[in-house]
Amino acid sequence: MKKKILEIKDLYVEYITEDGIVHAVNGLNLELEKGQTLGLVGETGAGKTTTVLSIMKLLPEQIGRITKGTILLDGNNITDLRETEMQKLRGNAVSMIFQDPMTSLNPVLSVGDQIAEVLELHQAELGKKRIDERVDEILDMVGLQKERKVEYPHQFSGGMKQRIVIAMALACEPKLLLADEPTTALDVTIQAQVLEMMNRLKDTFSTSMMLITHDLGVVAQTCDSVAIMYAGRVIEQGTLKDIYTAGRHHPYTIGLFNSIPDLTKDTKRLSPIKGLMPDPINLPNGCAFHPRCPECLDVCRYEMPEESCYGTHKIRCHLYK
Amino acid sequence: MKADVNILRKTKVKRRGQLRSIWNRYKRNKLAMVGLFLMALLVFFSLSAHFIVDYDKAIHQNMQERFQEPSLKHIFGTDQYGRDIFARIIHGAKISIFMGLFNVAIALTIGSIIGSVAGYYGGYIDGIVMRIMDVFLAIPQTLLAISIVAVLGQGVINLMIALIISAIPKFARIVRSAILTVRGQEYIEAARAYGTNDMRIIFKHVMPNAIGPIIVQATLDMAFAILSIASLSFLGLGISPPTPEWGSMLSEGKTYMRDYSYLVVFPGIAIVITVLALNLIGDGLRDALDPRLRN
Amino acid sequence: MSVPLLETKGLKKYFKTKNGFLHAVDDINIKIDEGNTLGVVGESGCGKSTLGRTILRLIEPTEGEVSFNGKNIIEYNRKSMVAIREKMQIIFQDPYASLNPRMTVGEIIAEPLYVCKITKGKKETNNRVRSLMETVGLAERYENAYPHELDGGRRQRIGIARALSVNPKFIVCDEPVSALDVSIQAQILNLMMDLQEEQKLTYLFITHDLSVVKHISDEIAVMYLGKCVEKAPSKELYSNPKHPYTQALLSAIPIPKLDQGKIVNIIKGEVLSPINPAPGCRFAPRCPYINKDCTVAEPPLCEINENHFVLCTLY
Ligand SMILES: Nc1ncnc2c1ncn2[C@@H]1O[C@H](COP(=O)(O)OP(=O)(O)OP(=O)(O)O)[C@@H](O)[C@H]1O
Ligand SMILES: Nc1ncnc2c1ncn2[C@@H]1O[C@H](COP(=O)(O)OP(=O)(O)OP(=O)(O)O)[C@@H](O)[C@H]1O
Ligand SMILES: [Mg+2]
Ligand SMILES: [Mg+2]
């Protein structure tokens, strides 16, 4: 059996707000093998970011907390790790690309300095001159001219800032990379370039990756397995083939695929899944998807479906037993 | 698409007051509440000083009762002129706390205006204004205050003016840098896109987001003001002798510290408590004002 | 012929940087008729957002004209500019960065109403905020929420509600859906198309997602390093892309199907620096069809078909 770099078992995370308790993650199970890439897909508000923040242990203090479950990183339980120990892991063992590139850059430091700072923190042995060269290399990798390293974040476009954030995360060559929607602001050609760069990283340093995205095309190109999240749970997971080939699927997955604008067809209106993500303060009973589900059964209204396994393919739906 | 609306239509929403939710957030911070309690106590004492002990006791010299150790009659003891230290501390609170507050309020207002104009407009306005501020910053704050008092002449008002002028550059600098970090944000641009004027942008959009470091600086500066009043009084440039004031008590007591330590211990404690309370309040306020840290 | 609602003539924006002038927007000429949508696509950093911002005069252009309803707004003074701002709005790319984190959803939407004096009194404002929230599909409960507590889709709805609050005629949509998942993306796009129909809105729709822009645009302009390299009606562009960059862009769209192969057609070669760019075609260093004319002078603009313009030496 292959070694697992990441294992999440029965994770529950909630946020405490003035309006009530937000149940962001509700019993999530995930596994990631070494050197593999997992695509995490799901509607906005499904709890994808919350999941990776829990792995990094960067949930907002006092507000967000893990109420149940364990997270194993490379076989070690990190659920109860103290902040000082966690700091040692961040960057080297596990690194994260944040979702909002604009807010994770320091507006008053030039981008070159910011990348250099990351390198100094994690690879101090390189020495000043070598670090300077590395900064140039890294910028080049993400398609930015190295002369522009003296400029400040506000002088770059949205996509460029996103590339800088990616560059910073890749700079320290982590064992596990958690990429939270890293390519949303990039056009297809640059996106292809960035994804290729990540793949290369995966090959050279056998980095494992968790790629959060809503672009099913990107998933098809880069991932080995896929997990689809809805309302804080994984409702379907499997290998790329399991998910992308026709057969048994969760109705939500089917809806997701139908919402993709199809270039080959000539329809004016798009066909999204009806309704919105349920209010996480007040989740519906039974299957959380039932109010929007076109194939809702009676049991769905009061009973949470169990996971049914078909080899590597797992689905959580009453339609399949 | 309208599902979201329909499901939740039933739950009636009340508009929560801004102040109320700030208070709710503040309340949960225990240390900040301790700070607030201490401050309330100090303010209470200073406001009701006249009802607790006679002002006379604080200034009237009574040579028979010099250097009395703390006892039931004089709970904090008496000083070298036989004045009751408890009375002097209570009456001194008024001067120290209110002068401190007043100083910070004015310096903060003026400093913020200068700093926000410089930070928001940038360019040569920024250059000129901040270079002037730099000149002031280059002179140690206490020295600057001393020189101003020396020029204007002694007196409480002049002392305040001196302290305010010497505190303005620090505020201007902090406000400017705080504003620089939020100026480029997209929500500022959005506000400009619907025609918000500059004043409103600064006060409604920029300032609230830049307030954290400014509040911390304000509480620190208030502590500094209390200490400065003390040291200037000691140099004979501030509050004139019989008036009770913590700083001057401290410096007068210094001479006798070896034999009668309580002469400096009690005013010292009073200053420490005030400063501590202010810092706790400052930290709590900074967090309470940030809805992202809402709890 | 009727006057287009929005027109730019020779619009240029150069940023001054430490190494020289950065040509972010370089001589852009576009026209949008009322009720239509012009899609702008292009590489990250090619100047799409800058174009949108200069049109709204959030950044002052270096040169050129922007006419709104036939009048050049670049010449407007402060006061007339404030008046016209109500008519032109913007929806930002990053739904988080564009919302003030210290204001609640209700306050964010009410702010333009107050500033532009659209509603009088608290009650009218509140009603209008509620109805706007309903228009964009936000539950009333969120009136008191802060942006950081919401997910991306709801945040973007706030941005849309804010833009709509002042009854604009023209909206610059700067990648409004790129941060959203496919299902919400489809909802928001449908919403925007509905609003366009109801309120006769005109959009300048900036995106890098070619599959999105096809659905919403009547015409599409492709930008590359500050230049508009190709402009054509939506259908025409997809069926008959002419410029090598457009072709590359179309072929790089990741397709959500298996067995498409993991290797995509990545454009090779160094990107030309936008700072003091060399003369000639800006795509030349990466172009597979490069010939000697390309690096000498600016390629001419040719009209291949009706309304289909290309900036390339090949034609
Ligand atoms: N700081 C917070 N306070 C309160 N609620 C929060 C907070 N952060 C997130 N939430 C809520 O938790 C839920 C899950 O959010 P999360 O950010 O994990 O979603 P996501 O799957 O990453 O969505 P997106 O695709 O939009 O990024 C959402 O309903 C969100 O409103
Ligand atoms: N304030 C500024 N100062 C200097 N340069 C700037 C400034 N704003 C933008 N630029 C530069 O102008 C160019 C175009 O930027 P712009 O934001 O318009 O790109 P974009 O097409 O919107 O890209 P994206 O798709 O990544 O958002 C970039 O090279 C950027 O670095
Ligand atoms: Mg997220
Ligand atoms: Mg942009």
Side-chain angles (χ1 to χ4, degrees), chain A residues 157-159, chain C residues 48-50 93 174-175 206:
Chain A
S157 78
Chain C
K48 306 182 294 292
S49 303
T50 309
Q93 171 171 11
D174 190 356
E175 314 204 18
I206 298 171

Side-chain angles (χ1 to χ4, degrees), chain B residues 275-291:
Chain B
V275 172
L276 184 72
L278 283 170
N279 285 344
L280 291 177
I281 292 178
D283 276 355
L285 213 53
R286 180 195 55 200
D287 292 349
L289 285 174
D290 190 346

Side-chain angles (χ1 to χ4, degrees), chain A residues 144-158:
Chain A
L144 292 171
Q145 286 91 25
K146 52 178 180 281
E147 311 88 70
R148 299 195 64 178
K149 69 178 171 192
V150 291
E151 290 176 25
Y152 293 89
H154 75 269
Q155 294 175 308
F156 289 89
S157 78

Side-chain angles (χ1 to χ4, degrees), chain C residues 3-8 32 55-56 65-74 76 81 83-89 168-171 202:
Chain C
V3 191
L5 185 75
L6 188 104
E7 187 173 5
T8 68
I32 317 176
I55 288 177
L56 295 183
E65 264 180 41
V66 177
S67 318
F68 185 72
N69 259 336
K71 294 191 201 76
N72 184 4
I73 63 165
I74 300 297
Y76 275 23
M81 202 55 218
I84 200 94
R85 287 222 184 274
E86 285 175 32
K87 299 275 159 273
M88 312 166 80
Q89 277 300 307
K169 291 187 97 63
F170 170 70
I171 304 182
T202 309

Side-chain angles (χ1 to χ4, degrees), chain A residues 15-17 22-25 42-51 53 60 63-64 99 180-181 212 214 229 277-281, chain B residues 292 294, chain C residues 142 148-155 179-181:
Chain A
Y15 293 103
I16 301 158
T17 69
V22 175
H23 302 278
V25 176
E43 201 160 356
T44 124
K48 307 180 293 290
T49 304
T50 308
T51 308
L53 286 180
I63 301 166
Q99 187 170 5
D180 194 356
E181 310 197 359
I212 297 183
H214 51 250
M229 265 184 97
M277 196 74 176
D279 186 357
I281 290 187
Chain B
R292 278 165 296 188
R294 172 193 231 188
Chain C
Y142 291 110
H148 69 102
E149 299 169 331
L150 303 179
D151 48 71
R154 292 204 174 93
R155 281 181 200 157
L180 308 177
D181 66 89

Side-chain angles (χ1 to χ4, degrees), chain A residues 44 102 187 214 263 269 275, chain C residues 44 151 180-181 187 194 214:
Chain A
T44 124
M102 335 282 164
D187 66 288
H214 51 250
L263 270 182
R269 281 191 75 84
Chain C
S44 150
D151 48 71
L180 308 177
D181 66 89
Q187 285 183 355
D194 291 344
K214 183 181 179 201

